[in-house]
Amino acid sequence: MQKNNLICDIDGVILHNNDLIPGADAFVRRVLERDMNLLFLTNYPAQTPRDLQNRFYSAGIEVPESCFYTSAMATADFLKRQSGEKAYVIGEGALIHELYKAGFTITDIDPDFVVVGETRNYNWSMIQMAARFVADGARFIATNPDTHGPQMHPACGALCAPIERMTGKKPFYVGKPSAWIVRAALNHMDAHSENTLIVGDNLRTDILAGFQAGLETVLVLTGVSQVADIDKMPFRPQHIYASAADIDLF
């Protein structure tokens, strides 16, 4: 079947930090020239689509703001489907912005949800308050399970760990490898799994999420996972390329 839609990871596929991966700009241009429905999907919840658009522009890639979908957006879309309208949030402005847009009240008074994203301002008081709310029955939601970023910067999964240990309750992780975020991305771009490719650099997140959501998967070797890692997994990507520049599926 003709693949008309493409979901693509950012870090490790298009950019390393803010530096362009060689040939990734030509890959993006080729996708756009073929009129494919393109969506960049990231687990990182602390940047808005406009922030990401500017990050791409600084690296020499021009794409519309509508081409970005984040775990913060997916978390807001998930919570809209649940009962409750109050959230205690550990996270940055982009996550709070998405929750406000979805109609949630951000509060530390009897919240329905504890929502954890990414922040550099994590502290004892946040841990204590979040753990108390979860122990009292607030539903525990996290934007993504990543434990760390570049140079061992603590990420969402690490921030959730003490709350989980204190309460004995695991959060629902919205981001990859959960199939939820891929399904939410498909809904966002009005696409279907059977005619969508997902491109990523990480077998345990991008490729597993795509596999679980029924997409055709493409692994590139410019990021986390390498060829030697494939035999360690119980699933296989359908396609493997040295970099995004080498993809020749369309």
Side-chain angles (χ1 to χ4, degrees), residues 174-217:
V174 172
K176 299 174 285 187
S178 170
W180 164 263
I181 194 170
V182 178
R183 292 292 182 186
L186 289 169
N187 289 338
H188 185 78
M189 63 196 300
D190 195 24
H192 298 285
S193 58
E194 60 267 21
N195 57 9
T196 303
L197 290 165
I198 184 167
V199 178
D201 70 300
N202 192 325
L203 286 163
R204 296 180 184 275
T205 56
D206 311 308
I207 303 305
L208 179 54
F211 175 77
Q212 293 186 135
L215 277 63
E216 191 168 335
T217 57

Side-chain angles (χ1 to χ4, degrees), residues 6-17 19-25 27-28 40-41 56 61 176 198-202 206-207 218-224 242-245 247:
L6 180 67
I7 294 175
C8 187
D9 185 37
I10 296 175
D11 294 290
V13 178
I14 306 298
L15 303 173
H16 278 312
N17 295 321
D19 297 324
L20 179 73
I21 293 175
D25 51 346
F27 165 72
V28 173
F40 291 101
L41 176 63
F56 270 50
I61 303 175
K176 299 174 285 187
I198 184 167
V199 178
D201 70 300
N202 192 325
D206 311 308
I207 303 305
V218 182
L219 175 69
V220 295
L221 304 176
T222 46
V224 173
S243 72
I247 296 173

Side-chain angles (χ1 to χ4, degrees), residues 42-64:
T42 177
N43 265 2
Y44 190 56
Q47 290 185 311
T48 66
R50 184 167 293 182
D51 295 332
L52 291 167
Q53 181 190 35
N54 182 65
R55 190 178 165 204
F56 270 50
Y57 183 78
S58 298
I61 303 175
E62 293 190 47
V63 290

